Amino acid sequence: MGEIDPDSLLPNDHVKTAVNEGEVTQLSRGASNRYAEEGDTFELDGETFEVVGVEERTLGELTDGDARREGSADLESYRERMNRVHGGNFEWDEDSGIVSYRFERR
């Protein structure tokens, strides 16, 4: 466990702002890379956040609760957002491996 660069986990300024405002407390990324480990910390605007959970799973295992932690109203809204954000480079496949990172403000 150590301090990580928030840019390695959080993909853009919109997500960073949502994390800082408490709207996003979890982020799922493709399983091909490991962006953080449980216990790692990162800093945003002088605030420290700790990665409190790292879970390997599939897109099909995500729930409405996961979607809300990721800043969407429900799973369907999250799915639509992923399709819109990733455009032609993304296809929602229930069996696709992901890693979900949960974090909390310290």
Side-chain angles (χ1 to χ4, degrees):
M1 91 182 129
E3 186 167 342
I4 63 169
D5 182 347
D7 291 339
S8 65
L9 177 60
L10 309 176
N12 57 52
D13 288 340
H14 176 76
V15 172
K16 290 175 192 169
T17 298
V19 168
N20 210 22
E21 293 177 356
E23 297 169 10
V24 171
T25 59
Q26 174 178 300
L27 191 68
S28 295
R29 307 284 307 261
S32 61
N33 290 317
R34 192 65 163 235
Y35 296 94
E37 298 296 333
E38 192 168 328
D40 285 348
T41 60
F42 59 91
E43 189 174 306
L44 287 176
D45 297 330
E47 296 285 335
T48 300
F49 293 82
E50 181 177 352
V51 177
V52 296
V54 177
E55 183 179 4
E56 292 184 26
R57 53 209 302 207
T58 66
L59 283 173
E61 294 175 306
L62 291 175
T63 66
D64 283 335
D66 291 309
R68 284 189 291 277
R69 285 186 288 278
E70 299 216 17
S72 292
D74 56 30
L75 189 56
E76 185 57 32
S77 296
Y78 177 75
R79 184 179 183 159
E80 290 172 7
R81 189 179 80 186
M82 291 300 100
N83 284 320
R84 185 177 60 251
V85 168
H86 294 292
N89 298 329
F90 180 79
E91 180 180 331
W92 186 277
D93 177 352
E94 299 282 318
D95 296 323
S96 288
I98 58 170
V99 178
S100 294
Y101 304 91
R102 286 183 300 111
F103 35 84
E104 296 174 353
R105 186 183 311 265
R106 273 186 156 176

